[in-house]
Amino acid sequence: MALSIHTNYSALTTNTSLNKFNSALATNQQRLGTGLRINSAADDAAGLQIATRLNAQSRGMAVAMRNTGDATSMLQTAEGAFSEMTDIVQRMKDLATQSANGTNSADDRTSLQGEYDELAKELANILGNTSYAGEKLFASATGVIDGAAGKFGSTAAGVTFQIGGTTAEKMTVNVSGKFTTLLSATGLGGISTVFTALAAAPTADVSAGGGEIKTAALANTEIDNLTTALNAIGSMRATFGASINRLNHVNNNLANMKDNTEMAKGRIMDADFAIESANMSKNSMLMQSGISMLKQAGQMPGMVMSLLG
């Protein structure tokens, strides 16, 4: 290589190498500082695009998991109301069965009828006031039980829950047909009189017609009506219970998919500290070596003066 004052090839190549090592060292430090392998699209354009899609999917599933939790709470609220109604109707059936016995006097049956009426009013109260997050589940906003209002009313299209991060992942719970059966006069006998009365005047003090079990014959009829009512209530509870079980499985599957999606995103985005630390040490040593050599290369033109002695 010729000796030259104007062009110092060694210094130029050494300086170029220093710039490369300095850029690589800055990248290592940035990755170690942020914990991410990709800090901008320039680091890995394709990887960033893939990671963005994975992140969108993961976040969608996280929200869907919260949705399933909220849906489960709503259905548990509805099922809990019908669980209490089951106990009430069972007690009403007990009263009807007791009233059908010939050992009772008229006064006895009047007392049985009094408890029967109060229990019927509580059934109407449960249907009229059971709500979730301020929304009535089985009645209108004013508590009218006409079967046409509420989240699960008889004319409602059901409640649709978003159980995934895409528009196709939905679940609808519709008990409108079963609720219609529950409100029918044939299915509930005298109890439906309370519903009808409260529908007309939600705050009125009404009874269940006043004579459903006041005679043995009426009591026998009411036993059959209450059996039908229990079947209708049990059918609705079964629907709610099955939906709750499904939502539990939905949540478990979402958790599994979310965990694996997060792992896939991490393999693309996360920095490997062992590799980055090793590369930083290597680039740091190359920087020090390059600076030392650049100093030596800078002394080369000085050697020309020795030739001019």
Side-chain angles (χ1 to χ4, degrees):
M1 182 181 67
L3 292 177
S4 172
I5 294 176
H6 291 289
T7 304
N8 188 339
Y9 180 76
S10 297
L12 291 175
T13 55
T14 303
N15 184 65
T16 300
S17 296
L18 275 175
N19 288 335
K20 292 180 180 179
F21 297 145
N22 185 53
S23 177
L25 183 60
T27 299
N28 298 143
Q29 291 171 335
Q30 182 185 39
R31 289 174 176 175
L32 289 172
T34 62
L36 297 173
R37 185 181 71 87
I38 303 175
N39 291 282
S40 70
D43 293 332
D44 185 349
L48 180 63
Q49 184 180 19
I50 296 170
T52 299
R53 292 203 308 270
L54 291 172
N55 187 46
Q57 182 179 358
S58 177
R59 292 181 60 163
M61 288 185 289
V63 175
M65 289 175 67
R66 292 199 298 271
N67 287 352
T68 58
D70 293 340
T72 299
S73 296
M74 173 182 280
L75 294 179
Q76 286 175 334
T77 300
E79 196 278 327
F82 281 100
S83 174
E84 189 61 32
M85 288 180 65
T86 299
D87 293 339
I88 292 175
V89 174
Q90 290 279 21
R91 174 56 183 164
M92 293 173 75
K93 187 172 181 294
D94 291 344
L95 293 172
T97 303
Q98 184 177 355
S99 181
N101 191 17
T103 61
N104 293 294
S105 66
D107 290 339
D108 293 336
R109 290 193 173 98
T110 297
S111 297
L112 293 171
Q113 181 68 53
E115 182 181 351
Y116 185 96
D117 290 347
E118 291 303 314
L119 291 175
K121 285 189 285 186
E122 182 54 28
L123 285 178
N125 176 62
I126 291 174
L127 287 180
N129 294 293
T130 299
S131 60
Y132 177 81
E135 293 284 336
K136 300 284 188 181
L137 297 185
F138 310 107
S140 67
T142 58
V144 175
I145 310 166
D146 56 5
K151 290 286 189 179
F152 299 104
S154 63
T155 61
V159 181
T160 299
F161 303 114
Q162 182 67 40
I163 58 173
T166 64
T167 56
E169 297 174 274
K170 296 183 183 295
M171 171 183 170
T172 300
V173 178
N174 189 344
V175 294
S176 59
K178 294 179 173 63
F179 194 59
T180 299
T181 301
L182 184 65
L183 292 179
S184 66
T186 302
L188 289 174
I191 306 173
S192 63
T193 306
V194 176
F195 296 152
T196 303
L198 288 180
T203 59
D205 182 14
V206 297
S207 69
E212 289 81 7
I213 60 172
K214 276 193 172 181
T215 68
L218 290 173
N220 277 307
T221 299
E222 204 62 14
I223 290 174
D224 293 335
N225 290 334
L226 291 168
T227 299
T228 301
L230 283 172
N231 291 336
I233 292 172
S235 180
M236 292 192 70
R237 290 185 66 187
T239 299
F240 287 132
S243 299
I244 290 170
N245 287 337
R246 178 184 171 184
L247 285 172
N248 289 333
H249 291 295
V250 168
N251 187 75
N252 293 339
N253 187 51
L254 285 170
N256 171 62
M257 290 192 296
K258 182 178 181 297
D259 291 345
N260 285 286
T261 302
E262 288 285 348
M263 287 295 296
K265 185 189 74 171
R267 283 191 292 270
I268 297 172
M269 293 291 295
D270 294 350
D272 187 323
F273 272 65
I275 292 176
E276 296 301 331
S277 296
N279 287 338
M280 187 180 72
S281 298
K282 179 191 71 174
N283 291 324
S284 179
M285 293 177 65
L286 288 172
M287 279 284 296
Q288 296 176 29
S289 175
I291 291 172
S292 177
M293 291 303 101
L294 184 60
K295 181 180 179 182
Q296 295 293 328
Q299 296 175 357
M300 291 295 291
M303 298 176 64
V304 175
M305 299 305 298
S306 65
L307 298 175
L308 300 176

